[in-house]
Amino acid sequence: MGRTNDSDLAPQELRVLVAVADAGGFSAAAEALGLTQSAVSHAVRGSERKIGAVLFDRGRGGARPTPAGDRAVAHARRILRLLDVLTAEARGAAQLDAAEGPLRIAAFRSAALHLLPPVLARLRARHPGIEPHVRIVREVGRGTAGEVADGKADVAIATLGGSAPLPPGLVARELLEEPYSLVHPTGHPAPRSLPLVDWAENCGSYTRDWWAAQDWIPRATVEAEDDGAVLSLVSGGHGMAIMPALSLVGAPGSVGITDLGLHRPSRRVGYVTTSELAGSSVVQALVRELRAALPQGVSLLGSRA
């Protein structure tokens, strides 16, 4: 057998890097790992020597990853996750059921509320060995795809086609195209005359051109925290909004939903995972259930005046 390269990082060294980044310091990381602080410091110094870069800025307030450290920790998380998957898939193959083990999912709010619940119910029924863990992440900046890139999630339900390029090493596939509608208090005679209610995650680069061409849309005068708060404000008669279909599933009767016409904007919703995990049994099982649920999910995306 060949010898291990002296510059290779061992799994325990990767765990230390992740622990220091998560805990924000060497002492807290040592406590979390059940090690001494000197052992953690020694492991970090050894990793820095092997990589040839400073990974953490040390100070009285703790330790924060440098840009090189951010990248190293993201790769460490992904490598450690692959080691977990290797064990789970080998065990599952031996038992003729490869789909088992944890599955970390990042999703934006409306997808977590309206798309994932029936999917997870079917996933648990078909694959009781899979343990899904869902985190709701705001779809701004790096959004849910950033969680996958950083090794914090195995798969993300994400909006696709924005101006930010997909991080290296990730793959994305579209699941559905989600139309936008005009949302207003039911029965209002002139909903386009109402003030605009909006929120930070809404209408990214995929709708910007359409939005800019609509001279009837005023500047938002009410900024809400999320799409649920927008619906509540619209329901209370405080304005109108332009919202994607998933945000409108289960909207109360006090909210009117009007089609924006033939050239209405839409956003693409899909899943994002790493190239390494795309073929794993847990991710493939989730994708199958997502695709199986789409006809039912799409039928819920209706409009009412």
Side-chain angles (χ1 to χ4, degrees), residues 113-115 117-118 179 244-251 257 293-304:
L113 288 179
H114 305 304
L115 183 62
L246 277 175
S247 297
L248 303 178
V249 175
I257 303 171
L294 283 182
Q296 176 185 355
V298 171
S299 70
L300 296 174
L301 309 183
S303 298
R304 59 175 181 263

Side-chain angles (χ1 to χ4, degrees), residues 34-303:
L35 300 173
T36 64
Q37 182 175 340
S38 61
V40 169
S41 298
H42 177 76
V44 171
R45 286 196 301 271
S47 297
E48 290 178 327
R49 182 176 65 256
K50 291 177 180 180
I51 293 172
V54 176
L55 302 180
F56 293 94
D57 287 325
R58 285 83 156 167
R60 291 187 176 181
R64 295 179 59 85
T66 62
D70 278 329
R71 185 163 296 186
V73 168
H75 282 292
R77 287 196 180 99
R78 288 166 62 172
I79 292 168
L80 290 171
R81 178 62 180 130
L82 282 177
L83 292 176
D84 291 339
V85 169
L86 182 155
T87 301
E89 298 231 331
R91 183 186 302 120
Q95 299 170 357
L96 303 180
D97 181 7
E100 67 170 38
L103 175 62
R104 305 170 303 160
I105 305 166
F108 56 92
R109 182 184 178 276
S110 59
L113 288 179
H114 305 304
L115 183 62
L116 279 181
V119 169
L120 295 180
R122 289 165 58 104
L123 185 71
R124 288 190 174 101
R126 293 174 186 266
H127 303 282
I130 294 180
E131 306 162 19
H133 304 272
V134 180
R135 291 181 60 240
I136 296 178
V137 177
R138 284 168 62 86
E139 191 69 331
V140 293
R142 298 173 74 238
T144 59
E147 297 292 297
V148 176
D150 291 345
K152 297 177 181 178
D154 302 323
V155 62
I157 308 302
T159 53
L160 308 179
S163 57
L166 199 65
L170 302 191
V171 294
R173 297 291 184 270
E174 184 172 342
L175 293 168
L176 61 92
E177 189 169 352
E178 187 184 12
Y180 279 76
S181 297
L182 173 64
V183 187
H184 52 84
T186 299
H188 194 283
R192 293 191 178 203
S193 68
L194 292 169
L196 177 65
V197 185
D198 209 3
W199 79 104
E201 292 176 82
N202 196 31
C203 293
S205 58
Y206 31 78
T207 60
R208 191 171 296 134
D209 291 343
W210 177 90
W211 193 286
Q214 310 303 308
D215 57 8
W216 59 273
I217 302 179
R219 182 181 295 275
T221 54
V222 181
E223 293 281 351
E225 177 64 23
D226 56 41
D227 53 349
V230 171
L231 268 185
S232 180
L233 288 165
V234 171
S235 176
H238 298 287
M240 59 90 172
I242 297 167
M243 303 183 71
L246 277 175
S247 297
L248 303 178
V249 175
S254 54
V255 172
I257 303 171
T258 300
D259 195 300
L260 286 167
L262 181 63
H263 301 293
R264 64 188 179 185
S266 63
R267 70 177 179 180
R268 295 161 54 214
V269 177
Y271 68 90
V272 176
T273 187
T274 66
S275 55
E276 303 92 353
L277 288 175
S280 67
S281 58
V282 288
V283 170
Q284 288 186 338
L286 175 67
V287 170
R288 284 194 297 271
E289 298 306 332
L290 281 167
R291 294 200 180 280
L294 283 182
Q296 176 185 355
V298 171
S299 70
L300 296 174
L301 309 183
S303 298

